[in-house]
Amino acid sequence: MELKLMMEKLGAPQTHLGLKNMIKEVDEDFDGKLCFREFLLIFHKAAAGELEEDSGLLTLAKLSEIDVSIEGVKGAKNFFEAKVQALSSASKFEAEIRAEQDERKREEEERKHRRAAFRELKSAFTQ
């Protein structure tokens, strides 16, 4: 389904049979699905000229090519800035979680001390 949607978004929709043939062309483990390694194999085979000319995979490889000399690397800059921001926000989130966990531990320790003090007072009155 993901392959179907990707091909439609690239402007090269495929039939169900065409999609099955595309998958079969690079499906190394014969599970009828594309894993990430097999997905990358599409582009490796396209670069090596190993894909059939009428293959939807060749169309996919051609449609997703980016010429850096034309496009530049500004998209990469935005990607890496977004990645750094995501990582820093993730670390802030982790810090908040750790702070909450530490607070819970501290509160639990306080409860234990209060219970121990109460038991001590209780034992003084019951004797």
Side-chain angles (χ1 to χ4, degrees):
M1 193 56 147
E2 291 170 334
L3 182 61
K4 177 182 187 279
L5 291 173
M6 184 173 56
M7 292 303 289
E8 287 173 357
K9 287 194 183 243
L10 288 172
Q14 300 289 314
T15 64
H16 185 72
L17 186 59
L19 292 167
K20 283 189 171 253
N21 289 334
M22 289 170 65
I23 292 171
K24 195 183 301 182
E25 198 169 342
V26 290
D27 189 13
E28 294 181 322
D29 55 7
F30 305 106
D31 64 351
K33 300 175 186 174
L34 288 180
C35 65
F36 184 67
R37 183 187 186 301
E38 293 165 340
F39 181 73
L40 293 177
L41 187 61
I42 295 168
F43 301 99
H44 178 73
K45 284 187 168 191
E50 297 173 7
L51 294 175
E52 296 175 22
E53 200 58 42
D54 61 341
S55 167
L57 294 179
L58 188 60
T59 305
L60 170 64
K62 286 180 181 179
L63 288 173
S64 56
E65 283 182 359
I66 296 174
D67 187 352
V68 177
S69 62
I70 295 170
E71 298 296 326
V73 292
K74 61 184 174 242
K77 177 184 178 251
N78 295 339
F79 169 78
F80 287 112
E81 285 175 352
K83 190 70 170 170
V84 167
Q85 185 178 8
L87 289 173
S88 66
S89 66
S91 64
K92 287 178 189 174
F93 183 65
E94 289 171 3
E96 288 176 13
I97 290 172
R98 278 192 218 106
E100 287 178 11
Q101 289 172 342
D102 292 342
E103 179 68 21
R104 284 189 200 128
K105 286 179 186 176
R106 187 184 59 74
E107 288 173 357
E108 186 61 34
E109 288 296 320
E110 273 184 32
R111 274 191 224 114
K112 286 180 185 178
H113 289 296
R114 283 193 308 254
R115 286 182 189 146
F118 179 77
R119 284 188 198 121
E120 192 176 311
L121 284 173
K122 181 181 171 186
S123 67
F125 285 107
T126 57
Q127 292 179 356

